[in-house]
């Protein structure tokens, strides 16, 4: 059974048809790439999947239940984690606090514990701190746990975003241009990291990326969007040679 | 240089040291005050009525500032309607006290002690209800839009109090029993600070801080932002209501005039001066701003000019407030009650110190 199933998704902003008739099915454990020229509607698809936008048509199913129209925080709690194209960290907080916040609902305690600082409060706080630290260790950020998030170098901010998304224990991870602004060296490290994360946490990943070398090496299946419509779908090899994709990226051949 | 920076702003060492001594010094002064005032029961009137009045006002202002800080500083909702919630609490509790008959079973003194906290609680709950009703529609607004909406709410409350029969309009409510004393004010101030401190340093508080930092990211991390915004507003309103009740039973007279926009601004001032997001900063700012006009009394007519001037100078030289977002250094407190969690965290981070942090 598919982990994520999207049926005929459409959304217009005024006269602009951002996404039209988008279909997608992801099986557990798959790593799917979503590519397309600027303004093709990739991030809009992400925002619909995570509940930031409500689609005008179509339905979204996750893990057997329909999530169309649910609020973002509820979709997150069902197991969809995401990162943002333009990094959205909690800038003034420490690296550790950033990750702790994402842990919120995996192990919450009640108001009684909060106000009276019961033993459970301490136990939960310790659990949260340890869990958050372990996520940071995975992404090699543990040494920077006490630093303010905005003071981290760019590449580490990207990694922190992934750590934060992982802290919510997602089944499906949506990465929005994780390699944007990284140098080739960092991109290669990211590639290894994503592959390793996927193995380690048996994650299903949907990825938006402009760096073709990364997408081609990483993804088993690629979807190409243009003007809100899927124009091609297939293995990296098929996509590379698909005339419609080449046309979308490079324009029509002059005859 | 990899030194630890908690606020992102460089702090001179002297300030850091000063903050370390602040908490033990503050506690010592509080204990001393308690002793001095307790001596009354043995016939030594050491602290005069005037000074006790200032202390009570300081405690009330602490409640107001800390509760507004939960809304403005921690959750990042810019509210300037705090006097409105105060008014709700003040009127509800005052009217309850005045209309509550004599209880048959106990003496009138015992009745006063028993009913006062109940009445304050009722005032707080009424204010919290007002916060809930106002919060649900207005909290979808952001920044200055929310500020204007809350400003409008404060005015509505004032105008309602001005026109209802039960509140006696502009004549106000006179001869409210003077139940508020040093002990009650202190008790409720300490309770407020402890409860709000505990909320802020829990996962609920983290959710509120996340909203302040980035609402969209908070939502994407599974935080129900609407719930926490309304909740923060309601809790803040509750404590403002309690403070209003204390004030009503301290001044023994309330009228709509005492709960106008200026009052809201005064509370906001304490929060900004103490540092948005710093609870201990709010406490200190509340004390300073309560004491300052009294200290400056010898200047007579120039008093308010100097008061306002001090604020301008402070904002120019320290725009982030006394503490920014940091708190009073708790090293002293922690050495008393060092928790296992922190010890473990510390030993862990020391272990890691050498190999971690590869860039």
């Amino acid at each position: 059974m598919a982990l994520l199933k999207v049926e005929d998704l459409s959304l217009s902003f005024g006269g602009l048809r951002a996404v039209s008739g988008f279909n997608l099915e992801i099986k557990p454990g798959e790593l799917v790439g979503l590519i397309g020229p600027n303004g093709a509607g990739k991030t809009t698809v992400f925002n619909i999947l995570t509940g930031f936008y409500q689609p005008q048509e179509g339905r979204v199913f996750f893990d057997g239940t329909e999530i169309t129209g649910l609020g973002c925080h509820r979709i997150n709690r069902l197991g969809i984690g995401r990162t943002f194209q333009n990094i959205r960290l909690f800038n003034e907080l420490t690296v550790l606090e950033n990750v702790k916040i994402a842990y919120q609902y995996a192990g919450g305690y009640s108001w009684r514990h909060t106000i009276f600082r019961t033993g459970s409060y301490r136990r939960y706080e310790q659990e949260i701190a340890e869990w958050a630290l372990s996520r940071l260790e995975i992404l090699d950020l543990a040494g920077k746990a006490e630093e303010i998030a905005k003071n981290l170098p760019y590449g580490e901010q990207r990694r922190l975003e992934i750590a934060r998304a992982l802290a919510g224990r997602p089944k499906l991870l949506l990465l929005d241009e994780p390699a944007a602004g990284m140098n080739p060296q960092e991109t290669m490290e990211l590639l290894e990291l994503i592959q390793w994360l996927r193995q380690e946490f048996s994650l299903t990943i949907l990825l938006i990326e402009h760096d073709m070398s990364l997408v081609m090496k990483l993804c088993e299946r690629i979807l190409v969007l243009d003007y809100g419509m899927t124009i091609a779908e297939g293995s990296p090899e098929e996509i590379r040679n698909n005339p419609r994709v080449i046309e979308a990226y490079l324009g029509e051949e002059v005859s | 240089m990899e030194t630890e920076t908690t606020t992102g702003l460089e702090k001179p060492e002297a300030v850091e040291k000063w903050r370390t001594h602040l908490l033990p010094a503050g506690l010592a002064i509080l204990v001393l005050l308690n002793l001095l005032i307790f001596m009354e029961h043995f016939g030594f009137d050491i602290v005069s009525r005037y000074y006790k009045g200032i202390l009570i006002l300081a405690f009330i202002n602490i409640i107001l500032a800390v509760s507004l800080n939960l809304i403005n500083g921690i959750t990042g909702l810019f509210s300037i309607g705090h006097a409105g919630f105060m008014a709700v609490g003040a009127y509800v509790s005052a009217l309850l006290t005045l209309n509550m008959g004599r209880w048959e079973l106990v003496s009138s003194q015992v009745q006063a002690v028993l009913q006062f906290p109940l009445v304050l609680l009722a005032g707080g709950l009424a204010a919290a209800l007002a916060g809930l009703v106002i919060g649900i529609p207005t909290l979808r607004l952001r920044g200055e839009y929310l500020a204007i909406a809350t400003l409008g709410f404060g005015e509505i409350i004032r105008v309602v109090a001005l026109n209802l029969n039960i509140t006696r309009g502009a004549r106000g409510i006179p001869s409210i029993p003077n139940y508020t004393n040093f002990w009650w004010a202190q008790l409720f101030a300490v309770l407020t600070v402890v409860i709000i401190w505990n909320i802020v340093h829990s996962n609920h508080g983290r959710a509120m801080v996340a909203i302040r930092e980035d609402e969209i990211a908070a939502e994407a991390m599974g935080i129900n932002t609407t719930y926490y915004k309304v909740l923060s507003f309601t809790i803040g309103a509750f404590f403002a209501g309690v403070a209003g009740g204390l004030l009503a039973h301290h001044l023994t007279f309330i009228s709509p005039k005492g709960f106008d926009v200026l009052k809201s601004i005064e509370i906001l001032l304490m929060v900004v001066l103490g540092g948005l997001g710093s609870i201990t900063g709010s406490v200190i700012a509340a004390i300073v701003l309560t004491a300052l006009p009294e200290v400056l009394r010898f200047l007579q007519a120039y008093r308010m000019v100097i008061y306002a001037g001090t604020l301008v100078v402070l904002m120019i030289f320290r725009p982030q407030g006394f503490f920014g977002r940091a708190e009073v250094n708790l090293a002293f407190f922690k050495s008393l009650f060092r928790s296992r969690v922190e010890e473990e965290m510390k030993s862990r981070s020391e272990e890691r110190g050498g190999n971690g942090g590869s860039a």
Side-chain angles (χ1 to χ4, degrees):
Chain A
M1 197 187 66
L3 182 68
L4 181 77
K5 191 159 181 258
V6 180
E7 286 174 358
D8 288 320
L9 214 58
S10 292
L11 178 64
S12 306
F13 297 114
L16 177 77
R17 218 159 159 73
V19 178
S20 82
F22 180 80
N23 283 289
L24 173 68
E25 204 165 305
I26 304 181
K27 291 185 196 69
E30 263 193 306
L31 205 168
V32 180
L34 186 61
I35 64 171
N38 285 332
K42 305 179 296 291
T43 300
T44 309
V45 167
F46 264 34
N47 283 338
I48 295 172
L49 293 183
T50 49
F52 280 100
Y53 297 155
Q54 303 303 328
Q56 281 146 348
E57 285 161 46
R59 303 166 79 180
V60 185
F61 296 90
F62 177 71
D63 215 7
T65 52
E66 181 165 4
I67 58 167
T68 335
L70 285 187
C72 250
H73 60 274
R74 293 186 60 194
I75 291 178
N76 173 275
R77 285 192 234 176
L78 286 172
I80 301 185
R82 76 171 290 181
T83 66
F84 292 89
Q85 184 177 354
N86 43 348
I87 303 175
R88 279 183 172 276
L89 291 171
F90 303 119
N91 276 327
E92 302 289 336
L93 306 182
T94 66
V95 168
L96 187 66
E97 282 169 332
N98 263 276
V99 182
K100 274 183 174 179
I101 285 168
Y103 183 81
Q104 290 294 329
Y105 294 98
Y109 44 81
S110 73
W111 282 98
R112 187 165 56 86
H113 301 309
T114 300
I115 291 175
F116 299 110
R117 292 236 166 170
T118 59
S120 312
Y121 166 86
R122 285 176 193 282
R123 266 198 307 282
Y124 277 124
E125 278 295 306
Q126 179 158 13
E127 193 184 302
I128 292 171
E130 278 172 6
W131 171 265
L133 261 180
S134 72
R135 298 306 94 170
L136 287 178
E137 265 157 15
I138 289 165
L139 287 146
D140 199 20
L141 286 167
K144 305 222 167 182
E146 295 302 320
E147 279 198 41
I148 301 295
K150 69 172 180 195
N151 296 344
L152 289 184
Y154 190 79
E156 287 179 357
Q157 291 196 5
R158 285 257 171 230
R159 289 220 301 275
L160 176 55
E161 252 208 329
I162 297 175
R164 194 177 63 171
L166 285 177
R169 296 184 176 142
K171 293 177 196 142
L172 173 68
L173 186 59
L174 306 180
L175 299 173
D176 198 342
E177 297 200 26
M182 284 189 175
N183 61 33
Q185 162 78 25
E186 286 173 324
T187 306
M188 289 323 289
E189 282 172 12
L190 181 75
L191 183 121
E192 281 165 26
L193 176 72
I194 293 175
Q195 279 169 337
W196 182 80
L197 285 177
R198 185 185 166 202
Q199 289 286 318
E200 185 73 15
F201 299 102
S202 45
L203 276 176
T204 310
I205 297 175
L206 177 62
L207 175 99
I208 294 179
E209 190 46 73
H210 274 303
D211 190 321
M212 281 306 147
S213 66
L214 182 75
V215 178
M216 294 293 170
K217 274 183 206 139
L218 199 57
C219 304
E220 290 133 16
R221 193 149 65 86
I222 296 173
L223 251 84
V224 190
L225 269 186
D226 197 18
Y227 296 110
M229 279 181 286
T230 312
I231 57 167
E233 186 178 352
S235 67
E237 205 49 45
E238 287 164 356
I239 295 299
R240 205 188 305 250
N241 300 318
N242 187 314
R244 288 196 65 189
V245 177
I246 296 168
E247 190 193 308
Y249 271 93
L250 301 176
E252 217 168 326
E253 211 172 325
V254 189
S255 54
Chain B
M1 278 283 282
E2 263 205 17
T3 47
E4 59 158 359
T5 48
T6 37
T7 56
L9 294 153
E10 294 303 324
K11 276 186 303 276
E13 209 131 285
V15 176
E16 193 55 53
K17 208 170 170 189
W18 180 69
R19 288 204 310 152
T20 321
H21 297 308
L22 213 50
L23 188 68
L27 286 179
I29 292 172
L30 195 64
V31 169
L32 187 70
L33 275 173
N34 273 285
L35 281 175
L36 287 179
I37 292 177
F38 193 67
M39 292 305 271
E40 270 174 24
H41 294 279
F42 304 103
F44 301 100
D45 261 332
I46 301 165
V47 183
S48 72
R49 270 183 67 88
Y50 169 67
Y51 285 110
K52 264 193 284 183
I54 296 171
L55 285 171
I56 290 169
L57 275 182
F59 282 131
I60 292 173
N61 282 336
I62 286 173
I63 301 177
L64 289 168
V66 170
S67 60
L68 185 65
N69 203 348
L70 182 71
I71 301 173
N72 280 24
I74 305 292
T75 322
L77 308 165
F78 201 87
S79 164
I80 39 178
H82 224 49
F85 298 125
M86 230 181 126
V88 172
Y91 273 101
V92 167
S93 59
L95 288 171
L96 276 176
T97 300
L98 289 173
N99 292 308
M100 202 177 272
R102 267 289 287 130
W103 298 353
E104 296 295 327
L105 292 169
V106 291
S107 72
S108 61
Q109 271 171 326
V110 174
Q111 183 187 344
V113 172
L114 290 177
Q115 81 174 25
F116 189 45
L118 291 178
V119 160
L120 286 181
L121 205 66
L125 288 175
L129 189 69
L132 193 67
V133 171
I134 297 303
I136 289 169
T138 55
L139 286 177
R140 61 191 68 223
L141 302 171
R142 275 156 210 260
E144 51 269 51
Y145 305 105
L146 177 68
I148 290 167
T150 53
L151 186 79
F153 158 74
E155 280 302 282
I156 289 170
I157 295 289
R158 196 179 61 84
V159 174
V160 166
L162 209 50
N163 287 290
L164 281 184
N165 280 331
I166 190 167
T167 57
R168 294 170 40 93
R171 287 169 298 164
I173 300 179
S175 56
I176 304 164
N178 184 11
Y179 287 157
T180 305
N181 56 23
F182 176 81
W183 309 107
W184 281 120
Q186 176 178 253
L187 174 71
F188 280 99
V190 168
L191 275 178
T192 306
V193 174
V194 167
I195 290 174
I196 290 185
W197 177 275
N198 283 353
I199 290 174
V200 170
H201 294 88
S202 72
N203 60 353
H204 303 288
R206 272 199 292 275
M208 292 172 186
V209 171
I211 293 170
R212 174 188 79 197
E213 290 296 314
D214 191 325
E215 201 174 328
I216 288 175
E219 185 78 21
M221 294 304 126
I223 292 166
N224 187 345
T225 52
T226 314
Y227 170 77
Y228 276 110
K229 285 201 290 185
V230 172
L231 191 74
S232 152
F233 210 63
T234 310
I235 294 173
F238 172 82
F239 287 109
V242 171
L246 282 168
L247 189 70
H249 293 82
H250 171 59
L251 300 177
T252 69
F253 169 76
I254 49 170
S255 75
K257 232 174 145 184
F259 305 104
D260 57 3
V261 186
L262 276 178
K263 185 70 196 171
S264 291
I265 303 278
E266 195 191 316
I267 305 165
L268 184 65
L269 218 78
M270 293 173 194
V271 175
V272 174
L273 197 70
L276 279 161
S278 167
I279 294 170
T280 44
S282 287
V283 172
I284 289 169
I287 297 169
V288 168
L289 287 194
T290 313
L292 199 58
E294 304 300 328
V295 173
L296 295 176
R297 225 168 247 289
F298 70 96
L299 292 167
Q300 289 153 7
Y302 293 104
R303 183 168 69 115
M304 289 326 275
V305 177
I306 301 289
Y307 175 82
T310 314
L311 294 178
V312 172
V313 170
L314 262 169
M315 279 300 103
I316 290 171
F317 290 103
R318 205 160 166 81
Q320 72 273 42
F322 292 157
F323 288 171
R325 274 170 190 165
E327 299 287 358
V328 154
N329 196 317
L330 292 176
F332 166 78
F333 204 60
K334 277 180 183 155
S335 65
L336 290 181
F337 310 97
R338 185 176 278 281
S339 75
R340 251 194 359 231
V341 188
E342 278 143 10
E343 239 160 42
E344 190 153 317
M345 293 275 299
K346 207 176 167 196
S347 67
R348 266 172 164 239
S349 64
E350 272 163 9
E351 239 168 64
R352 208 176 303 99
N355 53 22
S358 60

